[in-house]
């Protein structure tokens, strides 16, 4: 499924920083003077949510995300939570008074990436995730656990194995060459390149 998804994001591109700060950020009242961290992974289990009981969806690693954020200076960072079922992480962010903005609905994925400075993927296990492909295609900074296809697409420096790895790289990693590496890597997973390999695999099996 991974190579099919890349076909849907070929038209997504990074815009100029002025667009991000002046137009995109103002639409959802993002602070202008903070580094914006994007988290777009559903973090709360569906069971109990109608009763106000919020349980973390542990495979997505919201507890890992929370630990990362707790080590960042609140005056310098804000997290943008995209999508639905973000109740658990919001509940916990309020406890540590970490600034956040919730965007349950958004016009398109391009908008999210253009108003964010860096994306965090903290999953323990899953098949994708899709945002790895999208960040590579849009040349968006991303740090990820070694999950799914992360190590196949992302520069080795984007892979984090410990909380402190995330924290240190958020603060210090130079992504200039890394985003170019990720972009070039994702071009190997387009429909045109992957379908012939898929056809060959099926033919060999038959």
């Amino acid at each position: 499924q991974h190579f099919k998804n890349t076909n849907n994001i070929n038209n997504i591109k990074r815009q100029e920083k002025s667009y991000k700060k002046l137009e995109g950020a103002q639409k959802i009242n993002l602070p202008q003077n903070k580094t914006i961290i994007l988290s777009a992974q559903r973090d709360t289990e569906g069971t109990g949510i109608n009763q106000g009981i919020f349980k973390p969806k542990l495979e997505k690693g919201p507890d890992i995300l929370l630990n990362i954020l707790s080590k960042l200076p609140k005056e310098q960072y804000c997290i943008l939570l995209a999508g639905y079922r973000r109740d658990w992480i919001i509940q916990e962010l309020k406890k540590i008074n970490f600034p956040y903005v919730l965007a349950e609905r958004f016009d398109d994925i391009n908008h999210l990436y253009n108003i964010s400075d860096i994306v965090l993927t903290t999953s323990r296990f899953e098949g994708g995730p899709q945002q790895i492909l999208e960040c590579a295609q849009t040349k968006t900074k991303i740090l990820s656990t070694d999950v799914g296809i992360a190590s196949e697409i992302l520069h080795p420096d984007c892979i984090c194995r410990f909380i402190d790895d995330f924290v240190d790289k958020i603060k210090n990693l130079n992504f200039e060459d890394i985003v170019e590496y990720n972009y070039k890597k994702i071009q190997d997973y387009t429909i045109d390149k992957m379908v012939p390999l898929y056809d060959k695999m099926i033919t060999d099996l038959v």
Side-chain angles (χ1 to χ4, degrees), residues 56-101:
K57 196 174 181 68
L58 292 177
E59 62 265 34
K60 301 293 186 181
D63 52 324
I64 297 174
L65 176 62
L66 184 67
N67 284 332
I68 294 166
L69 298 177
S70 69
K71 295 191 174 187
L72 294 173
K74 302 171 187 177
E75 65 276 8
Q76 296 179 25
Y77 293 89
C78 174
I79 185 157
L80 171 59
L81 303 171
Y84 295 94
R85 295 230 307 258
R86 309 313 307 266
D87 306 270
W88 183 85
I89 193 69
I90 289 174
Q91 169 184 273
E92 300 304 313
L93 289 172
K94 288 179 178 178
K95 292 178 182 178
I96 63 171
N97 198 31
F98 195 93
Y100 72 90
V101 172

Side-chain angles (χ1 to χ4, degrees), residues 172-183:
N172 302 312
L173 187 60
N174 186 337
F175 280 89
E176 184 175 353
D177 294 330
I178 289 174
V179 293
E180 295 297 332
Y181 173 99
N182 295 344
Y183 178 77

Side-chain angles (χ1 to χ4, degrees), residues 3-8 10 189-196:
F3 67 83
K4 293 181 182 178
N5 289 336
T6 62
N7 193 49
N8 297 328
N10 285 338
Y189 291 83
T190 60
I191 290 287
D192 291 343
K193 291 187 178 181
M194 294 303 294
V195 166

Side-chain angles (χ1 to χ4, degrees), residues 65-174:
L65 176 62
L66 184 67
N67 284 332
I68 294 166
L69 298 177
S70 69
K71 295 191 174 187
L72 294 173
K74 302 171 187 177
E75 65 276 8
Q76 296 179 25
Y77 293 89
C78 174
I79 185 157
L80 171 59
L81 303 171
Y84 295 94
R85 295 230 307 258
R86 309 313 307 266
D87 306 270
W88 183 85
I89 193 69
I90 289 174
Q91 169 184 273
E92 300 304 313
L93 289 172
K94 288 179 178 178
K95 292 178 182 178
I96 63 171
N97 198 31
F98 195 93
Y100 72 90
V101 172
L102 175 63
E104 283 190 321
R105 299 181 180 180
F106 42 89
D107 296 335
D108 56 58
I109 196 69
N110 196 36
H111 175 65
L112 284 183
Y113 290 124
N114 279 289
I115 60 178
S116 304
D117 294 298
I118 188 169
V119 176
L120 297 186
T121 299
T122 57
S123 297
R124 289 182 167 87
F125 54 88
E126 64 174 289
Q130 172 76 3
Q131 63 189 18
I132 287 176
L133 302 171
E134 293 167 345
C135 286
Q137 180 69 22
T138 57
K139 299 184 181 180
T140 301
K141 299 174 184 178
I142 181 172
L143 295 174
S144 175
T145 50
D146 191 3
V147 65
I149 57 170
S151 60
E152 298 177 41
I153 303 293
L154 301 179
H155 189 283
D157 286 346
C158 293
I159 307 298
C160 301
R161 291 174 173 80
F162 304 99
I163 301 297
D164 287 343
D165 285 346
F166 276 100
V167 175
D168 179 65
K169 290 177 180 180
I170 290 170
K171 293 179 178 179
N172 302 312
L173 187 60
N174 186 337

